[in-house]
Amino acid sequence: MPDFTICALCLNKAPLKESHIIPAFVFRWLRDTSATGHIRSAETPNKRVQDGLKVPLLCEECEQRLNVWEKPFSERVFHPWYEQSGQSIKYGDWLLKFCVSLSWRVLRHIRDFNGLAHLSDPQKMLSETALKRWTDFMLGRVPHPGPFEQHLIPLGAIDSHTFGEMPQNINRYMLRAVELDLAHSSSVVFTYSKIGPFGLFGIIQPTTMKWEGSKVHVKYGVLGPGKYLLPTELFEYIKDRARNYGNIQAGMSERQFDKIDATSMGDIDRFRASGTFAAMHHDVRLFGDASVLRQSKRKHTD
């Protein structure tokens, strides 16, 4: 377990803040653009929550250090892309710092609280090396993250596909989901941060898998439309995450589903203007009305 008297980044002994693993602005966006004005966590889908996961992690100085990189990402990338996907967005050296800080938080949290028992011993050693390199980069001790690259992918709606079986909630997942993971196989390990319309992959065990157009550069670059070449295995992973996301939502009680329906229909204008409705609409266009009906209602309409 972590030492709650020592800052996880600078290692100074200091009072620790309740630090967000996924930044707070993501959850404010999720709540503000939802159909109901409320959000639910994957761990407790039958309960409303006001915020995302927070743990005692950083001192006040390091919290502010991360905020310096979060603010431009929120204001210059995240919200503009949500408002108008497909635009070109220039970035500076703050973007790589933000991405590294997010991947670092995800890996640090999973290591400290859930362990790395699912990794091989060499992969555990690589994870520790990645944490150290990401720490040194954030603190200005090294000029770049080395082999532990960051790949940021702006996401949009899927209106057609040739990938065979596709989860019927794929657009709701791509456009709305917020989650974190440490993914692995025998030959690859990466952190995964899904923050609404963006997917961030922090590479821990580099592989021969081909990436093109997604690497975040040290000094400056452009996010937006263009050619993105991603490993086939990566999209299979995303499809699996979408299925898991759908299964969690489907596990809500009938009472909670009824509450959501009542809240949504109680303010139909908000519902129709929401990001929730827009994502549902894309899934309906792709799969039909049945894709957004909950299971109990499907049985009565079959």
Side-chain angles (χ1 to χ4, degrees), residues 15-72:
L16 300 187
K17 309 291 289 185
E18 287 288 317
S19 304
H20 286 85
I21 303 302
I22 291 179
F25 74 81
V26 177
F27 295 96
R28 288 195 296 270
W29 161 82
L30 190 64
R31 184 173 60 246
D32 292 345
T33 62
S34 72
T36 63
H38 304 288
I39 57 176
R40 295 167 186 266
S41 72
E43 293 79 11
T44 56
N46 285 310
K47 292 178 62 178
R48 292 173 175 171
V49 296
Q50 295 299 314
D51 206 350
L53 174 66
K54 294 186 290 186
V55 297
L57 187 68
L58 300 172
C59 67
E60 176 65 28
E61 183 177 349
C62 287
E63 275 282 321
Q64 294 307 312
R65 186 195 311 271
L66 269 58
N67 186 61
V68 168
W69 309 321
E70 285 181 10
K71 184 177 175 63

Tab-separated table of all heavy atoms in Angstrom, residues 15-72:
chain	number	residue	atom	x	y	z
A	15	PRO	N	1.363	17.128	3.483
A	15	PRO	CA	-0.058	16.755	3.464
A	15	PRO	C	-0.489	16.443	2.028
A	15	PRO	O	-0.149	17.185	1.095
A	15	PRO	CB	-0.766	18.004	4.005
A	15	PRO	CG	0.289	18.751	4.749
A	15	PRO	CD	1.574	18.481	4.041
A	16	LEU	N	-1.220	15.361	1.849
A	16	LEU	CA	-1.619	14.949	0.508
A	16	LEU	C	-3.043	15.411	0.201
A	16	LEU	O	-3.920	15.400	1.060
A	16	LEU	CB	-1.529	13.430	0.361
A	16	LEU	CG	-0.155	12.809	0.576
A	16	LEU	CD1	-0.184	11.330	0.223
A	16	LEU	CD2	0.926	13.524	-0.229
A	17	LYS	N	-3.249	15.796	-1.039
A	17	LYS	CA	-4.574	16.167	-1.526
A	17	LYS	C	-5.306	14.914	-1.996
A	17	LYS	O	-4.691	13.898	-2.329
A	17	LYS	CB	-4.448	17.148	-2.692
A	17	LYS	CG	-3.564	18.350	-2.423
A	17	LYS	CD	-4.162	19.291	-1.420
A	17	LYS	CE	-5.359	20.030	-1.981
A	17	LYS	NZ	-5.888	21.043	-1.047
A	18	GLU	N	-6.630	15.004	-2.045
A	18	GLU	CA	-7.422	13.953	-2.683
A	18	GLU	C	-7.328	14.186	-4.196
A	18	GLU	O	-8.018	15.040	-4.743
A	18	GLU	CB	-8.872	14.005	-2.205
A	18	GLU	CG	-9.078	13.519	-0.787
A	18	GLU	CD	-8.917	12.000	-0.685
A	18	GLU	OE1	-9.439	11.285	-1.563
A	18	GLU	OE2	-8.264	11.536	0.266
A	19	SER	N	-6.451	13.463	-4.844
A	19	SER	CA	-6.130	13.702	-6.249
A	19	SER	C	-7.020	12.868	-7.161
A	19	SER	O	-7.253	11.683	-6.914
A	19	SER	CB	-4.667	13.344	-6.524
A	19	SER	OG	-3.795	14.060	-5.671
A	20	HIS	N	-7.509	13.503	-8.222
A	20	HIS	CA	-8.251	12.764	-9.238
A	20	HIS	C	-7.297	11.907	-10.065
A	20	HIS	O	-6.229	12.379	-10.456
A	20	HIS	CB	-8.979	13.717	-10.186
A	20	HIS	CG	-10.187	14.370	-9.588
A	20	HIS	ND1	-10.099	15.522	-8.828
A	20	HIS	CD2	-11.498	14.032	-9.639
A	20	HIS	CE1	-11.326	15.862	-8.435
A	20	HIS	NE2	-12.187	14.985	-8.908
A	21	ILE	N	-7.698	10.667	-10.349
A	21	ILE	CA	-6.930	9.861	-11.292
A	21	ILE	C	-7.252	10.339	-12.708
A	21	ILE	O	-6.368	10.734	-13.457
A	21	ILE	CB	-7.225	8.364	-11.120
A	21	ILE	CG1	-6.939	7.927	-9.673
A	21	ILE	CG2	-6.393	7.547	-12.106
A	21	ILE	CD1	-5.525	8.188	-9.212
A	22	ILE	N	-8.509	10.327	-13.085
A	22	ILE	CA	-8.954	10.987	-14.307
A	22	ILE	C	-9.402	12.395	-13.918
A	22	ILE	O	-10.155	12.569	-12.969
A	22	ILE	CB	-10.087	10.203	-14.985
A	22	ILE	CG1	-9.532	8.888	-15.535
A	22	ILE	CG2	-10.741	11.021	-16.103
A	22	ILE	CD1	-10.552	8.001	-16.223
A	23	PRO	N	-8.939	13.423	-14.624
A	23	PRO	CA	-9.158	14.808	-14.182
A	23	PRO	C	-10.629	15.168	-13.964
A	23	PRO	O	-11.524	14.655	-14.638
A	23	PRO	CB	-8.561	15.630	-15.330
A	23	PRO	CG	-7.535	14.741	-15.939
A	23	PRO	CD	-8.103	13.355	-15.829
A	24	ALA	N	-10.838	16.100	-13.037
A	24	ALA	CA	-12.192	16.491	-12.647
A	24	ALA	C	-12.972	17.103	-13.803
A	24	ALA	O	-14.197	16.933	-13.888
A	24	ALA	CB	-12.133	17.482	-11.484
A	25	PHE	N	-12.286	17.810	-14.725
A	25	PHE	CA	-13.024	18.467	-15.801
A	25	PHE	C	-13.740	17.464	-16.687
A	25	PHE	O	-14.763	17.794	-17.304
A	25	PHE	CB	-12.106	19.371	-16.639
A	25	PHE	CG	-11.168	18.647	-17.559
A	25	PHE	CD1	-11.595	18.161	-18.790
A	25	PHE	CD2	-9.832	18.483	-17.216
A	25	PHE	CE1	-10.719	17.511	-19.650
A	25	PHE	CE2	-8.946	17.839	-18.071
A	25	PHE	CZ	-9.401	17.349	-19.292
A	26	VAL	N	-13.233	16.232	-16.760
A	26	VAL	CA	-13.876	15.202	-17.577
A	26	VAL	C	-15.238	14.845	-16.988
A	26	VAL	O	-16.227	14.690	-17.717
A	26	VAL	CB	-12.984	13.956	-17.685
A	26	VAL	CG1	-13.690	12.840	-18.475
A	26	VAL	CG2	-11.647	14.297	-18.337
A	27	PHE	N	-15.303	14.746	-15.675
A	27	PHE	CA	-16.570	14.389	-15.035
A	27	PHE	C	-17.553	15.559	-15.030
A	27	PHE	O	-18.771	15.337	-15.094
A	27	PHE	CB	-16.308	13.860	-13.622
A	27	PHE	CG	-15.543	12.564	-13.636
A	27	PHE	CD1	-14.172	12.557	-13.483
A	27	PHE	CD2	-16.193	11.361	-13.862
A	27	PHE	CE1	-13.456	11.368	-13.526
A	27	PHE	CE2	-15.488	10.173	-13.910
A	27	PHE	CZ	-14.122	10.177	-13.744
A	28	ARG	N	-17.039	16.780	-14.946
A	28	ARG	CA	-17.934	17.937	-15.090
A	28	ARG	C	-18.563	17.943	-16.487
A	28	ARG	O	-19.764	18.200	-16.643
A	28	ARG	CB	-17.168	19.239	-14.842
A	28	ARG	CG	-16.801	19.468	-13.387
A	28	ARG	CD	-16.379	20.915	-13.153
A	28	ARG	NE	-15.166	21.265	-13.892
A	28	ARG	CZ	-13.933	21.128	-13.402
A	28	ARG	NH1	-13.750	20.645	-12.189
A	28	ARG	NH2	-12.892	21.489	-14.129
A	29	TRP	N	-17.737	17.677	-17.505
A	29	TRP	CA	-18.246	17.603	-18.881
A	29	TRP	C	-19.282	16.492	-19.004
A	29	TRP	O	-20.361	16.689	-19.593
A	29	TRP	CB	-17.092	17.343	-19.853
A	29	TRP	CG	-17.539	16.805	-21.173
A	29	TRP	CD1	-18.017	17.511	-22.237
A	29	TRP	CD2	-17.578	15.426	-21.567
A	29	TRP	NE1	-18.347	16.669	-23.272
A	29	TRP	CE2	-18.084	15.383	-22.883
A	29	TRP	CE3	-17.230	14.225	-20.934
A	29	TRP	CZ2	-18.250	14.182	-23.582
A	29	TRP	CZ3	-17.392	13.034	-21.622
A	29	TRP	CH2	-17.897	13.026	-22.927
A	30	LEU	N	-18.983	15.320	-18.443
A	30	LEU	CA	-19.894	14.180	-18.554
A	30	LEU	C	-21.233	14.505	-17.916
A	30	LEU	O	-22.296	14.196	-18.479
A	30	LEU	CB	-19.259	12.958	-17.887
A	30	LEU	CG	-19.951	11.613	-18.102
A	30	LEU	CD1	-19.918	11.212	-19.572
A	30	LEU	CD2	-19.270	10.537	-17.243
A	31	ARG	N	-21.203	15.156	-16.760
A	31	ARG	CA	-22.435	15.520	-16.070
A	31	ARG	C	-23.188	16.615	-16.813
A	31	ARG	O	-24.403	16.531	-17.008
A	31	ARG	CB	-22.095	15.974	-14.647
A	31	ARG	CG	-23.289	16.290	-13.777
A	31	ARG	CD	-22.864	16.569	-12.345
A	31	ARG	NE	-21.959	17.697	-12.249
A	31	ARG	CZ	-20.687	17.619	-11.864
A	31	ARG	NH1	-20.160	16.443	-11.567
A	31	ARG	NH2	-19.922	18.700	-11.798
A	32	ASP	N	-22.458	17.645	-17.264
A	32	ASP	CA	-23.106	18.795	-17.902
A	32	ASP	C	-23.735	18.442	-19.249
A	32	ASP	O	-24.705	19.084	-19.671
A	32	ASP	CB	-22.105	19.929	-18.101
A	32	ASP	CG	-21.654	20.547	-16.779
A	32	ASP	OD1	-22.320	20.301	-15.751
A	32	ASP	OD2	-20.642	21.263	-16.789
A	33	THR	N	-23.187	17.459	-19.938
A	33	THR	CA	-23.694	17.088	-21.266
A	33	THR	C	-24.560	15.841	-21.238
A	33	THR	O	-24.945	15.342	-22.294
A	33	THR	CB	-22.523	16.863	-22.250
A	33	THR	OG1	-21.706	15.776	-21.773
A	33	THR	CG2	-21.686	18.120	-22.395
A	34	SER	N	-24.875	15.358	-20.048
A	34	SER	CA	-25.700	14.158	-19.945
A	34	SER	C	-27.176	14.502	-20.110
A	34	SER	O	-27.584	15.666	-20.024
A	34	SER	CB	-25.485	13.473	-18.591
A	34	SER	OG	-26.095	14.234	-17.552
A	35	ALA	N	-27.975	13.474	-20.313
A	35	ALA	CA	-29.415	13.664	-20.485
A	35	ALA	C	-30.102	14.039	-19.181
A	35	ALA	O	-31.168	14.655	-19.184
A	35	ALA	CB	-30.040	12.398	-21.056
A	36	THR	N	-29.487	13.667	-18.045
A	36	THR	CA	-30.146	13.843	-16.753
A	36	THR	C	-29.469	14.844	-15.839
A	36	THR	O	-30.055	15.258	-14.832
A	36	THR	CB	-30.207	12.491	-16.005
A	36	THR	OG1	-28.861	12.053	-15.732
A	36	THR	CG2	-30.930	11.435	-16.833
A	37	GLY	N	-28.216	15.208	-16.142
A	37	GLY	CA	-27.465	16.060	-15.236
A	37	GLY	C	-26.803	15.276	-14.119
A	37	GLY	O	-26.279	15.868	-13.168
A	38	HIS	N	-26.798	13.938	-14.225
A	38	HIS	CA	-26.194	13.076	-13.209
A	38	HIS	C	-25.271	12.075	-13.889
A	38	HIS	O	-25.390	11.795	-15.086
A	38	HIS	CB	-27.267	12.320	-12.416
A	38	HIS	CG	-28.275	13.210	-11.766
A	38	HIS	ND1	-27.985	13.996	-10.668
A	38	HIS	CD2	-29.581	13.455	-12.080
A	38	HIS	CE1	-29.073	14.676	-10.324
A	38	HIS	NE2	-30.047	14.371	-11.161
A	39	ILE	N	-24.329	11.519	-13.118
A	39	ILE	CA	-23.442	10.480	-13.625
A	39	ILE	C	-23.428	9.313	-12.645
A	39	ILE	O	-23.787	9.460	-11.474
A	39	ILE	CB	-22.009	11.002	-13.850
A	39	ILE	CG1	-21.421	11.588	-12.556
A	39	ILE	CG2	-21.987	12.032	-14.964
A	39	ILE	CD1	-19.970	12.037	-12.699
A	40	ARG	N	-22.995	8.157	-13.150
A	40	ARG	CA	-22.904	6.943	-12.349
A	40	ARG	C	-21.552	6.303	-12.603
A	40	ARG	O	-21.050	6.351	-13.727
A	40	ARG	CB	-24.034	5.962	-12.700
A	40	ARG	CG	-25.418	6.503	-12.359
A	40	ARG	CD	-26.529	5.684	-12.994
A	40	ARG	NE	-27.819	6.320	-12.758
A	40	ARG	CZ	-28.624	6.018	-11.748
A	40	ARG	NH1	-28.279	5.065	-10.905
A	40	ARG	NH2	-29.764	6.652	-11.586
A	41	SER	N	-20.977	5.698	-11.577
A	41	SER	CA	-19.675	5.062	-11.740
A	41	SER	C	-19.853	3.623	-12.182
A	41	SER	O	-20.899	2.999	-11.959
A	41	SER	CB	-18.885	5.103	-10.427
A	41	SER	OG	-19.433	4.198	-9.485
A	42	ALA	N	-18.810	3.081	-12.806
A	42	ALA	CA	-18.859	1.684	-13.235
A	42	ALA	C	-18.929	0.749	-12.034
A	42	ALA	O	-19.535	-0.324	-12.104
A	42	ALA	CB	-17.622	1.360	-14.077
A	43	GLU	N	-18.317	1.163	-10.905
A	43	GLU	CA	-18.293	0.295	-9.727
A	43	GLU	C	-19.662	0.213	-9.060
A	43	GLU	O	-20.035	-0.825	-8.524
A	43	GLU	CB	-17.259	0.812	-8.715
A	43	GLU	CG	-15.817	0.719	-9.189
A	43	GLU	CD	-15.443	1.835	-10.154
A	43	GLU	OE1	-16.229	2.809	-10.292
A	43	GLU	OE2	-14.385	1.732	-10.789
A	44	THR	N	-20.435	1.314	-9.093
A	44	THR	CA	-21.741	1.343	-8.439
A	44	THR	C	-22.769	1.951	-9.387
A	44	THR	O	-23.222	3.081	-9.172
A	44	THR	CB	-21.674	2.141	-7.126
A	44	THR	OG1	-21.167	3.462	-7.419
A	44	THR	CG2	-20.781	1.461	-6.112
A	45	PRO	N	-23.149	1.234	-10.455
A	45	PRO	CA	-24.040	1.825	-11.460
A	45	PRO	C	-25.439	2.151	-10.944
A	45	PRO	O	-26.163	2.915	-11.577
A	45	PRO	CB	-24.090	0.747	-12.552
A	45	PRO	CG	-23.745	-0.528	-11.851
A	45	PRO	CD	-22.766	-0.139	-10.788
A	46	ASN	N	-25.822	1.578	-9.801
A	46	ASN	CA	-27.152	1.856	-9.261
A	46	ASN	C	-27.181	3.099	-8.368
A	46	ASN	O	-28.216	3.426	-7.802
A	46	ASN	CB	-27.664	0.643	-8.467
A	46	ASN	CG	-28.103	-0.476	-9.391
A	46	ASN	OD1	-28.873	-0.248	-10.319
A	46	ASN	ND2	-27.583	-1.669	-9.165
A	47	LYS	N	-26.039	3.789	-8.258
A	47	LYS	CA	-25.976	4.999	-7.435
A	47	LYS	C	-25.441	6.156	-8.262
A	47	LYS	O	-24.497	6.002	-9.032
A	47	LYS	CB	-25.050	4.775	-6.224
A	47	LYS	CG	-25.583	3.794	-5.208
A	47	LYS	CD	-24.584	3.611	-4.076
A	47	LYS	CE	-24.328	4.905	-3.329
A	47	LYS	NZ	-23.393	4.727	-2.191
A	48	ARG	N	-26.050	7.314	-8.089
A	48	ARG	CA	-25.506	8.522	-8.694
A	48	ARG	C	-24.239	8.943	-7.954
A	48	ARG	O	-24.118	8.768	-6.748
A	48	ARG	CB	-26.518	9.661	-8.620
A	48	ARG	CG	-27.754	9.471	-9.483
A	48	ARG	CD	-28.760	10.570	-9.188
A	48	ARG	NE	-29.913	10.502	-10.080
A	48	ARG	CZ	-31.007	11.244	-9.923
A	48	ARG	NH1	-31.083	12.105	-8.915
A	48	ARG	NH2	-32.018	11.142	-10.777
A	49	VAL	N	-23.296	9.514	-8.708
A	49	VAL	CA	-22.095	10.066	-8.095
A	49	VAL	C	-21.903	11.477	-8.634
A	49	VAL	O	-22.427	11.846	-9.686
A	49	VAL	CB	-20.851	9.204	-8.393
A	49	VAL	CG1	-20.989	7.826	-7.775
A	49	VAL	CG2	-20.606	9.084	-9.903
A	50	GLN	N	-21.138	12.264	-7.926
A	50	GLN	CA	-20.900	13.649	-8.322
A	50	GLN	C	-19.546	13.851	-8.971
A	50	GLN	O	-19.302	14.873	-9.601
A	50	GLN	CB	-21.028	14.562	-7.100
A	50	GLN	CG	-22.426	14.603	-6.518
A	50	GLN	CD	-23.451	15.123	-7.518
A	50	GLN	OE1	-23.221	16.129	-8.195
A	50	GLN	NE2	-24.567	14.435	-7.631
A	51	ASP	N	-18.660	12.861	-8.810
A	51	ASP	CA	-17.287	13.076	-9.239
A	51	ASP	C	-16.644	11.728	-9.537
A	51	ASP	O	-17.229	10.663	-9.298
A	51	ASP	CB	-16.517	13.802	-8.132
A	51	ASP	CG	-15.352	14.607	-8.666
A	51	ASP	OD1	-15.018	14.454	-9.855
A	51	ASP	OD2	-14.774	15.385	-7.893
A	52	GLY	N	-15.406	11.772	-10.035
A	52	GLY	CA	-14.673	10.565	-10.336
A	52	GLY	C	-13.802	10.114	-9.178
A	52	GLY	O	-13.788	10.716	-8.092
A	53	LEU	N	-13.046	9.065	-9.418
A	53	LEU	CA	-12.189	8.461	-8.407
A	53	LEU	C	-11.129	9.444	-7.922
A	53	LEU	O	-10.444	10.082	-8.720
A	53	LEU	CB	-11.511	7.220	-9.008
A	53	LEU	CG	-10.462	6.519	-8.154
A	53	LEU	CD1	-11.105	5.902	-6.913
A	53	LEU	CD2	-9.746	5.451	-8.980
A	54	LYS	N	-10.994	9.565	-6.595
A	54	LYS	CA	-9.971	10.401	-5.978
A	54	LYS	C	-9.251	9.593	-4.900
A	54	LYS	O	-9.891	8.838	-4.158
A	54	LYS	CB	-10.584	11.665	-5.356
A	54	LYS	CG	-11.184	12.627	-6.352
A	54	LYS	CD	-11.641	13.926	-5.696
A	54	LYS	CE	-12.855	13.708	-4.824
A	54	LYS	NZ	-13.393	14.988	-4.290
A	55	VAL	N	-7.932	9.773	-4.827
A	55	VAL	CA	-7.137	9.094	-3.808
A	55	VAL	C	-6.099	10.071	-3.272
A	55	VAL	O	-5.687	10.995	-3.978
A	55	VAL	CB	-6.421	7.842	-4.373
A	55	VAL	CG1	-7.430	6.806	-4.847
A	55	VAL	CG2	-5.480	8.221	-5.513
A	56	PRO	N	-5.650	9.890	-2.022
A	56	PRO	CA	-4.559	10.729	-1.498
A	56	PRO	C	-3.262	10.382	-2.216
A	56	PRO	O	-2.709	9.300	-2.031
A	56	PRO	CB	-4.513	10.374	-0.010
A	56	PRO	CG	-5.209	9.052	0.114
A	56	PRO	CD	-6.166	8.945	-1.013
A	57	LEU	N	-2.769	11.287	-3.055
A	57	LEU	CA	-1.658	10.950	-3.945
A	57	LEU	C	-0.587	12.031	-4.004
A	57	LEU	O	0.601	11.732	-3.922
A	57	LEU	CB	-2.196	10.685	-5.358
A	57	LEU	CG	-1.224	10.150	-6.398
A	57	LEU	CD1	-0.791	8.727	-6.038
A	57	LEU	CD2	-1.860	10.168	-7.789
A	58	LEU	N	-0.995	13.301	-4.168
A	58	LEU	CA	-0.056	14.367	-4.462
A	58	LEU	C	-0.119	15.487	-3.427
A	58	LEU	O	-1.179	15.755	-2.848
A	58	LEU	CB	-0.349	14.958	-5.839
A	58	LEU	CG	-0.254	14.000	-7.034
A	58	LEU	CD1	-0.751	14.695	-8.290
A	58	LEU	CD2	1.170	13.498	-7.217
A	59	CYS	N	1.012	16.155	-3.252
A	59	CYS	CA	1.036	17.357	-2.430
A	59	CYS	C	0.440	18.517	-3.221
A	59	CYS	O	0.203	18.417	-4.426
A	59	CYS	CB	2.470	17.677	-2.001
A	59	CYS	SG	3.570	18.154	-3.364
A	60	GLU	N	0.210	19.630	-2.557
A	60	GLU	CA	-0.396	20.786	-3.212
A	60	GLU	C	0.459	21.289	-4.374
A	60	GLU	O	-0.072	21.617	-5.445
A	60	GLU	CB	-0.581	21.917	-2.190
A	60	GLU	CG	-1.126	23.209	-2.782
A	60	GLU	CD	-2.536	23.075	-3.334
A	60	GLU	OE1	-3.304	22.220	-2.833
A	60	GLU	OE2	-2.869	23.830	-4.272
A	61	GLU	N	1.759	21.322	-4.211
A	61	GLU	CA	2.637	21.815	-5.277
A	61	GLU	C	2.538	20.938	-6.525
A	61	GLU	O	2.476	21.453	-7.648
A	61	GLU	CB	4.079	21.872	-4.784
A	61	GLU	CG	5.049	22.433	-5.815
A	61	GLU	CD	6.470	22.557	-5.285
A	61	GLU	OE1	6.671	22.415	-4.057
A	61	GLU	OE2	7.392	22.792	-6.104
A	62	CYS	N	2.519	19.633	-6.339
A	62	CYS	CA	2.431	18.731	-7.499
A	62	CYS	C	1.034	18.732	-8.109
A	62	CYS	O	0.891	18.565	-9.329
A	62	CYS	CB	2.865	17.318	-7.107
A	62	CYS	SG	4.663	17.170	-6.858
A	63	GLU	N	0.002	18.931	-7.290
A	63	GLU	CA	-1.344	19.106	-7.839
A	63	GLU	C	-1.362	20.291	-8.799
A	63	GLU	O	-1.932	20.213	-9.894
A	63	GLU	CB	-2.349	19.346	-6.709
A	63	GLU	CG	-2.879	18.093	-6.059
A	63	GLU	CD	-3.941	17.407	-6.903
A	63	GLU	OE1	-4.775	18.091	-7.527
A	63	GLU	OE2	-3.923	16.172	-6.939
A	64	GLN	N	-0.753	21.383	-8.393
A	64	GLN	CA	-0.723	22.566	-9.247
A	64	GLN	C	0.139	22.342	-10.479
A	64	GLN	O	-0.151	22.873	-11.559
A	64	GLN	CB	-0.214	23.769	-8.444
A	64	GLN	CG	-1.147	24.205	-7.330
A	64	GLN	CD	-2.565	24.450	-7.839
A	64	GLN	OE1	-2.772	25.129	-8.850
A	64	GLN	NE2	-3.553	23.907	-7.141
A	65	ARG	N	1.186	21.551	-10.339
A	65	ARG	CA	2.032	21.227	-11.487
A	65	ARG	C	1.214	20.534	-12.569
A	65	ARG	O	1.276	20.886	-13.751
A	65	ARG	CB	3.185	20.320	-11.032
A	65	ARG	CG	4.222	20.024	-12.106
A	65	ARG	CD	5.110	18.854	-11.694
A	65	ARG	NE	5.628	18.985	-10.346
A	65	ARG	CZ	6.769	19.597	-10.031
A	65	ARG	NH1	7.508	20.143	-10.983
A	65	ARG	NH2	7.173	19.653	-8.770
A	66	LEU	N	0.410	19.551	-12.162
A	66	LEU	CA	-0.423	18.827	-13.130
A	66	LEU	C	-1.514	19.720	-13.708
A	66	LEU	O	-1.877	19.601	-14.880
A	66	LEU	CB	-1.042	17.592	-12.479
A	66	LEU	CG	-0.235	16.287	-12.604
A	66	LEU	CD1	1.162	16.424	-12.000
A	66	LEU	CD2	-0.978	15.125	-11.956
A	67	ASN	N	-2.030	20.634	-12.889
A	67	ASN	CA	-3.091	21.522	-13.358
A	67	ASN	C	-2.605	22.451	-14.469
A	67	ASN	O	-3.388	22.835	-15.355
A	67	ASN	CB	-3.626	22.358	-12.187
A	67	ASN	CG	-4.830	23.192	-12.586
A	67	ASN	OD1	-5.862	22.667	-12.994
A	67	ASN	ND2	-4.693	24.504	-12.489
A	68	VAL	N	-1.331	22.807	-14.454
A	68	VAL	CA	-0.766	23.656	-15.507
A	68	VAL	C	-0.894	22.982	-16.868
A	68	VAL	O	-1.061	23.648	-17.894
A	68	VAL	CB	0.709	23.976	-15.189
A	68	VAL	CG1	1.415	24.600	-16.396
A	68	VAL	CG2	0.801	24.908	-13.989
A	69	TRP	N	-0.844	21.638	-16.915
A	69	TRP	CA	-0.969	20.912	-18.177
A	69	TRP	C	-2.417	20.528	-18.475
A	69	TRP	O	-2.810	20.446	-19.632
A	69	TRP	CB	-0.103	19.648	-18.136
A	69	TRP	CG	1.313	19.925	-17.720
A	69	TRP	CD1	2.080	20.998	-18.084
A	69	TRP	CD2	2.110	19.134	-16.839
A	69	TRP	NE1	3.308	20.911	-17.498
A	69	TRP	CE2	3.377	19.785	-16.728
A	69	TRP	CE3	1.922	17.941	-16.141
A	69	TRP	CZ2	4.416	19.275	-15.950
A	69	TRP	CZ3	2.959	17.434	-15.373
A	69	TRP	CH2	4.189	18.103	-15.267
A	70	GLU	N	-3.208	20.310	-17.428
A	70	GLU	CA	-4.613	19.941	-17.635
A	70	GLU	C	-5.421	21.096	-18.220
A	70	GLU	O	-6.290	20.880	-19.072
A	70	GLU	CB	-5.257	19.519	-16.306
A	70	GLU	CG	-4.857	18.147	-15.827
A	70	GLU	CD	-5.554	17.786	-14.533
A	70	GLU	OE1	-6.488	18.525	-14.127
A	70	GLU	OE2	-5.175	16.773	-13.920
A	71	LYS	N	-5.139	22.280	-17.758
A	71	LYS	CA	-5.943	23.442	-18.165
A	71	LYS	C	-5.904	23.660	-19.683
A	71	LYS	O	-6.968	23.791	-20.300
A	71	LYS	CB	-5.482	24.678	-17.410
A	71	LYS	CG	-6.304	25.931	-17.684
A	71	LYS	CD	-5.804	27.085	-16.829
A	71	LYS	CE	-6.507	28.389	-17.154
A	71	LYS	NZ	-7.948	28.342	-16.882
A	72	PRO	N	-4.734	23.715	-20.326
A	72	PRO	CA	-4.757	23.895	-21.783
A	72	PRO	C	-5.350	22.713	-22.525
A	72	PRO	O	-5.973	22.898	-23.576
A	72	PRO	CB	-3.283	24.104	-22.148
A	72	PRO	CG	-2.507	23.563	-21.002
A	72	PRO	CD	-3.361	23.770	-19.791
